[in-house]
Amino acid sequence: RCLIYIDNFYLTAATKQLALEHSRRAFELFAMCGWTFNQAKSSGKPAQVVIFLGLYINSTDLSFNIPEDKLKDIKKKLKWLMNLRNHGVHVKQLAKVLGILQSLRLATGPLIAFMTRSLYYTVAVANSWSSHVQLDDLSNIKIKWWHGQISSLKKYPIDISCSSTPILFEVASESSGIGHFCYVVNADK
């Protein structure tokens, strides 16, 4: 298997020998097509832990991991946002932090989708990209939560079936919108 994304190249194989052979063949094929690769950016050797698209891919425990330097950088940016809670924040800066968080999705899991929703809403209602916005209480809570929790969320399995059990459930609420309940549809799993 081979994955190319803009200027990143990732190749997998079942054994070291196959990895070397597939790599050689892939480089030959791409060279015939006119592609060139910066050999300085590649070790040329098979490895069980590699950086691809800014994340570690660990084939020994089948996980995506956030590198420590990237983790420190995002925590620094989140701390900066936390310090701006009583001041306005530039929409582009907030969007940049959200983009960095989104780039970590493979290592943090699907939690990113709903734990950034209020922040995306803040960006969406801004007057323009050049405006400043006030972070509401929920956005501040989410920023503080990410700052405190991202270190414990820096590793996520490649195959979600290794770490989760799907549970099918339905939620209903009464007409007043105040009460709610949920029940498990398939209790035998």
Side-chain angles (χ1 to χ4, degrees):
R1 293 183 182 194
C2 179
L3 177 63
I4 299 173
Y5 182 79
I6 304 176
D7 65 346
N8 286 278
F9 176 88
Y10 179 70
L11 186 135
T12 63
T15 67
K16 181 179 180 179
Q17 197 58 33
L18 280 175
L20 289 168
E21 177 61 21
H22 291 173
S23 181
R24 184 189 61 73
R25 289 176 49 203
F27 280 107
E28 285 176 4
L29 175 66
F30 292 128
M32 287 188 319
C33 295
W35 289 38
T36 58
F37 293 93
N38 184 347
Q39 295 297 327
K41 291 177 83 177
S42 172
S43 69
K45 300 176 187 173
Q48 293 179 318
V49 179
V50 296
I51 291 184
F52 183 67
L53 300 178
L55 296 175
Y56 284 117
I57 299 176
N58 186 330
S59 67
T60 58
D61 67 0
L62 295 177
S63 66
F64 290 103
N65 303 270
I66 303 172
E68 284 301 317
D69 59 334
K70 189 169 263 203
L71 192 62
K72 286 178 186 175
D73 182 54
I74 190 62
K75 286 188 79 161
K76 181 179 172 184
K77 286 175 174 36
L78 291 165
K79 184 71 169 176
W80 174 76
L81 283 175
M82 287 167 49
N83 290 334
L84 290 176
R85 63 184 273 162
N86 297 324
H87 310 290
V89 61
H90 197 271
V91 176
K92 283 185 181 180
Q93 293 299 321
L94 179 58
K96 182 178 181 179
V97 172
L98 283 169
I100 293 168
L101 280 172
Q102 201 59 243
S103 75
L104 305 175
R105 185 187 190 290
L106 291 173
T108 61
L111 189 64
I112 193 86
F114 60 89
M115 291 304 285
T116 55
R117 189 174 295 150
S118 59
L119 296 164
Y120 276 110
Y121 178 78
T122 301
V123 170
V125 299
N127 292 331
S128 71
W129 278 111
S130 60
S131 65
H132 283 72
V133 291
Q134 191 71 29
L135 298 173
D136 63 9
D137 290 339
L138 185 56
S139 293
N140 283 312
I141 289 168
K142 299 300 183 185
I143 291 167
K144 188 175 180 181
W145 185 89
W146 276 109
H147 184 267
Q149 298 301 316
I150 195 155
S151 293
S152 63
L153 298 170
K154 65 181 184 174
K155 181 176 187 171
Y156 198 75
I158 290 173
D159 182 3
I160 193 166
S161 66
C162 294
S163 69
S164 67
T165 304
I167 298 176
L168 182 62
F169 67 94
E170 292 183 21
V171 177
S173 69
E174 58 166 288
S175 61
S176 69
I178 295 171
H180 67 275
F181 66 94
C182 81
Y183 61 94
V184 177
V185 173
N186 195 354
D188 61 328
K189 284 193 174 186

